[in-house]
mmCIF file of all heavy atoms in Angstrom:
data_model
loop_
_atom_site.group_PDB
_atom_site.id
_atom_site.type_symbol
_atom_site.label_atom_id
_atom_site.label_comp_id
_atom_site.label_asym_id
_atom_site.label_seq_id
_atom_site.Cartn_x
_atom_site.Cartn_y
_atom_site.Cartn_z
ATOM 1 N N LEU A 51 -3.265 -78.486 108.064
ATOM 2 C CA LEU A 51 -2.347 -78.757 106.955
ATOM 3 C C LEU A 51 -0.919 -78.398 107.373
ATOM 4 O O LEU A 51 0.030 -79.138 107.083
ATOM 5 C CB LEU A 51 -2.755 -77.938 105.721
ATOM 6 C CG LEU A 51 -3.947 -78.467 104.927
ATOM 7 C CD1 LEU A 51 -4.430 -77.419 103.931
ATOM 8 C CD2 LEU A 51 -3.578 -79.753 104.186
ATOM 9 N N MET A 52 -0.785 -77.270 108.063
ATOM 10 C CA MET A 52 0.554 -76.851 108.506
ATOM 11 C C MET A 52 1.100 -77.822 109.564
ATOM 12 O O MET A 52 2.281 -78.116 109.608
ATOM 13 C CB MET A 52 0.495 -75.415 109.054
ATOM 14 C CG MET A 52 0.219 -74.376 107.980
ATOM 15 S SD MET A 52 1.354 -74.492 106.551
ATOM 16 C CE MET A 52 0.216 -74.788 105.220
ATOM 17 N N ARG A 53 0.214 -78.322 110.413
ATOM 18 C CA ARG A 53 0.615 -79.307 111.434
ATOM 19 C C ARG A 53 1.064 -80.602 110.755
ATOM 20 O O ARG A 53 2.051 -81.205 111.152
ATOM 21 C CB ARG A 53 -0.581 -79.558 112.355
ATOM 22 C CG ARG A 53 -0.319 -80.504 113.470
ATOM 23 C CD ARG A 53 0.128 -79.795 114.739
ATOM 24 N NE ARG A 53 0.249 -80.770 115.823
ATOM 25 C CZ ARG A 53 1.409 -81.258 116.250
ATOM 26 N NH1 ARG A 53 2.536 -80.838 115.742
ATOM 27 N NH2 ARG A 53 1.440 -82.148 117.221
ATOM 28 N N ALA A 54 0.342 -81.002 109.712
ATOM 29 C CA ALA A 54 0.726 -82.199 108.953
ATOM 30 C C ALA A 54 2.120 -82.017 108.358
ATOM 31 O O ALA A 54 2.921 -82.952 108.317
ATOM 32 C CB ALA A 54 -0.298 -82.486 107.854
ATOM 33 N N ALA A 55 2.406 -80.780 107.925
ATOM 34 C CA ALA A 55 3.712 -80.486 107.324
ATOM 35 C C ALA A 55 4.832 -80.615 108.353
ATOM 36 O O ALA A 55 5.971 -80.918 108.001
ATOM 37 C CB ALA A 55 3.696 -79.093 106.700
ATOM 38 N N GLU A 56 4.499 -80.398 109.634
ATOM 39 C CA GLU A 56 5.498 -80.576 110.699
ATOM 40 C C GLU A 56 5.675 -82.056 111.034
ATOM 41 O O GLU A 56 6.758 -82.501 111.379
ATOM 42 C CB GLU A 56 5.033 -79.870 111.982
ATOM 43 C CG GLU A 56 5.086 -78.354 111.928
ATOM 44 C CD GLU A 56 4.334 -77.731 113.100
ATOM 45 O OE1 GLU A 56 4.057 -78.434 114.106
ATOM 46 O OE2 GLU A 56 3.994 -76.539 113.001
ATOM 47 N N LEU A 57 4.596 -82.802 110.961
ATOM 48 C CA LEU A 57 4.585 -84.178 111.453
ATOM 49 C C LEU A 57 5.147 -85.202 110.477
ATOM 50 O O LEU A 57 5.641 -86.243 110.874
ATOM 51 C CB LEU A 57 3.145 -84.600 111.818
ATOM 52 C CG LEU A 57 2.579 -83.993 113.098
ATOM 53 C CD1 LEU A 57 1.102 -84.317 113.215
ATOM 54 C CD2 LEU A 57 3.336 -84.519 114.316
ATOM 55 N N ILE A 58 5.032 -84.933 109.176
ATOM 56 C CA ILE A 58 5.443 -85.944 108.196
ATOM 57 C C ILE A 58 6.018 -85.270 106.960
ATOM 58 O O ILE A 58 5.530 -84.207 106.537
ATOM 59 C CB ILE A 58 4.246 -86.892 107.858
ATOM 60 C CG1 ILE A 58 4.713 -88.107 107.047
ATOM 61 C CG2 ILE A 58 3.105 -86.164 107.149
ATOM 62 C CD1 ILE A 58 3.717 -89.267 107.061
ATOM 63 N N THR A 59 7.065 -85.881 106.409
ATOM 64 C CA THR A 59 7.672 -85.331 105.193
ATOM 65 C C THR A 59 6.945 -85.897 103.969
ATOM 66 O O THR A 59 6.251 -86.915 104.066
ATOM 67 C CB THR A 59 9.161 -85.739 105.093
ATOM 68 O OG1 THR A 59 9.217 -87.167 104.958
ATOM 69 C CG2 THR A 59 9.933 -85.302 106.318
ATOM 70 N N THR A 60 7.157 -85.253 102.821
ATOM 71 C CA THR A 60 6.543 -85.794 101.600
ATOM 72 C C THR A 60 7.192 -87.131 101.228
ATOM 73 O O THR A 60 6.554 -87.981 100.616
ATOM 74 C CB THR A 60 6.686 -84.832 100.395
ATOM 75 O OG1 THR A 60 8.032 -84.402 100.310
ATOM 76 C CG2 THR A 60 5.771 -83.643 100.523
ATOM 77 N N GLN A 61 8.480 -87.308 101.639
ATOM 78 C CA GLN A 61 9.146 -88.585 101.346
ATOM 79 C C GLN A 61 8.464 -89.735 102.085
ATOM 80 O O GLN A 61 8.247 -90.800 101.522
ATOM 81 C CB GLN A 61 10.619 -88.511 101.745
ATOM 82 C CG GLN A 61 11.475 -88.097 100.572
ATOM 83 C CD GLN A 61 12.946 -88.164 100.890
ATOM 84 O OE1 GLN A 61 13.335 -88.033 102.052
ATOM 85 N NE2 GLN A 61 13.747 -88.349 99.864
ATOM 86 N N GLU A 62 8.127 -89.463 103.352
ATOM 87 C CA GLU A 62 7.454 -90.511 104.138
ATOM 88 C C GLU A 62 6.020 -90.720 103.658
ATOM 89 O O GLU A 62 5.529 -91.834 103.592
ATOM 90 C CB GLU A 62 7.400 -90.111 105.615
ATOM 91 C CG GLU A 62 8.723 -90.139 106.328
ATOM 92 C CD GLU A 62 8.576 -89.557 107.716
ATOM 93 O OE1 GLU A 62 8.463 -88.328 107.855
ATOM 94 O OE2 GLU A 62 8.549 -90.345 108.676
ATOM 95 N N ALA A 63 5.354 -89.617 103.363
ATOM 96 C CA ALA A 63 3.912 -89.686 103.073
ATOM 97 C C ALA A 63 3.624 -90.042 101.613
ATOM 98 O O ALA A 63 2.536 -90.477 101.294
ATOM 99 C CB ALA A 63 3.248 -88.354 103.410
ATOM 100 N N GLU A 64 4.612 -89.828 100.732
ATOM 101 C CA GLU A 64 4.446 -89.872 99.268
ATOM 102 C C GLU A 64 3.596 -88.688 98.813
ATOM 103 O O GLU A 64 4.009 -87.905 97.990
ATOM 104 C CB GLU A 64 3.872 -91.189 98.751
ATOM 105 C CG GLU A 64 3.830 -91.222 97.229
ATOM 106 C CD GLU A 64 3.519 -92.590 96.661
ATOM 107 O OE1 GLU A 64 3.425 -93.577 97.413
ATOM 108 O OE2 GLU A 64 3.372 -92.665 95.421
#
Side-chain angles (χ1 to χ4, degrees):
L51 283 168
M52 292 308 120
R53 182 93 175 102
E56 288 168 17
L57 286 171
I58 191 162
T59 64
T60 48
Q61 267 186 333
E62 289 173 285
E64 185 169 355

